[in-house]
C-alpha cells in the first residue's frame, strides 16, 4: 500500500481562487489525466494521463506536509478517475487536512474522506464542437455526488443563454441549495475576467445564485518554485 503511485502533474501552495472557500491558503495536488477536452480548459498540460511524474503516496504527503496546510485541493485533470483517490484522501485526513476535490462531476465514487465536493458540471459552452458530447454531463453521477457529499456546483458562464442550462441541471438534480450554486465568468485572462464579471453579477442577482471569483486570474501565476 505504501508503494501505491499516482501520476502527479504538480503540487503547489497557493490560495484557493474559486468557490465558497476562495482566499484560503491551500496545497493543490494536481493529478494527471482527464477524458474530457473542454473548450476553455486552462490546465491542458495535465490532460494526458502521463503528464508530470509518478509519485508514491508517501512522497506526495511529504511535499504536502512541508506547508503544514489546513486546506488541500485535489484537482486535475479529473481526479475522480484515479484508482487511488480514496487512499490519498485517507492519508490527508490522518493529518486533519480539510479536503476539497475539484471534479467535472462525471464519476461518482462513494465513501471518500472529502469535506467539499467542488463540482463543475459542463454546459454546452464546454463541449460545443467536441466529439462524444454525452461524456460531458452525466446526471446520474452528479446525483450521486450531491447526494453523498457536501458540495458546491460551479458553472462557467460565457453568455446569458448559458443560465437556462444551469437551471435545467439544477432542476434535474432536485432539492439543490441555491446558495451552493456558483456562477463564474469564462475568461482566459484578467481583462476578460473584469469585462465579463458585471454580466455574471447581474445573472446571480436575477437568479439567486452566488458569484464565484477567479482569483487566480487576478493574481496571475502564484505557484512557487519548489
Ligand atoms: S474537465 Fe477540467 S481538466 Fe478536464 S478538460 Fe474540462 S476543464 Fe480541463
Amino acid at each position: 500500500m505504501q508503494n501505491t503511485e499516482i501520476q502527479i502533474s504538480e503540487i503547489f501552495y497557493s490560495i484557493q481562487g474559486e468557490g465558497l472557500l476562495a482566499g484560503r491558503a491551500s496545497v493543490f495536488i494536481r493529478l494527471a489525466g482527464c477524458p474530457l477536452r473542454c473548450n476553455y480548459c486552462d490546465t491542458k498540460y495535465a490532460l494526458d494521463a502521463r503528464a508530470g511524474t509518478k509519485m508514491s503516496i508517501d512522497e506526495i504527503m511529504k511535499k504536502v506536509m512541508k506547508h503544514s496546510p489546513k486546506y488541500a485541493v485535489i484537482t486535475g485533470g479529473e481526479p475522480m478517475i484515479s484508482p487511488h483517490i480514496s487512499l490519498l484522501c485517507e492519508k490527508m485526513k490522518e493529518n486533519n487536512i480539510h479536503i476539497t476535490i475539484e471534479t467535472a462531476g462525471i464519476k461518482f465514487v462513494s465513501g471518500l474522506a472529502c469535506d467539499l465536493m467542488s463540482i463543475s458540471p459542463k454546459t454546452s459552452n464546454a463541449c460545443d464542437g467536441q466529439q462524444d458530447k454525452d461524456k460531458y454531463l452525466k446526471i446520474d453521477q452528479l446525483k450521486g455526488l450531491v447526494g453523498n457529499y457536501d458540495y458546491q456546483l460551479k458553472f462557467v458562464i460565457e453568455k446569458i443563454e448559458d443560465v437556462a442550462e444551469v437551471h435545467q441541471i439544477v432542476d434535474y438534480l432536485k432539492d439543490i441549495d441555491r446558495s451552493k450554486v456558483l456562477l463564474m465568468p469564462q475568461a482566459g485572462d484578467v481583462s476578460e475576467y473584469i469585462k465579463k464579471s458585471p454580466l455574471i453579477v447581474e445573472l446571480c442577482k436575477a437568479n439567486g445564485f452566488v458569484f464565484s471569483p477567479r482569483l487566480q486570474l487576478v493574481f496571475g501565476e502564484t505557484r512557487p518554485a519548489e
Side-chain angles (χ1 to χ4, degrees), residues 34 36-38 41 43 47 77 104 122:
C34 179
L36 306 185
R37 294 293 180 267
C38 302
C41 182
T43 53
L47 295 184
K122 303 306 173 197

Side-chain angles (χ1 to χ4, degrees), residues 127-171:
C127 60
D128 269 349
Q130 303 279 8
Q131 292 177 327
D132 303 330
K133 285 187 186 177
D134 53 351
K135 281 199 319 194
Y136 285 73
L137 185 65
K138 294 182 181 288
I139 291 293
D140 53 336
Q141 306 295 310
L142 284 173
K143 277 186 179 159
L145 291 168
V146 299
N148 288 276
Y149 294 100
D150 194 6
Y151 66 87
Q152 63 185 8
L153 293 166
K154 289 189 302 179
F155 290 90
V156 174
I157 303 298
E158 171 76 44
K159 53 190 183 315
I160 292 174
E161 293 73 29
D162 295 343
V163 175
E165 284 185 61
V166 174
H167 279 293
Q168 205 176 31
I169 294 168
V170 167
D171 289 349

Side-chain angles (χ1 to χ4, degrees), residues 4-15:
T4 300
E5 290 186 319
I6 302 179
Q7 195 74 22
I8 297 292
S9 164
E10 57 183 349
I11 297 175
F12 60 96
Y13 188 46
S14 186
I15 59 166

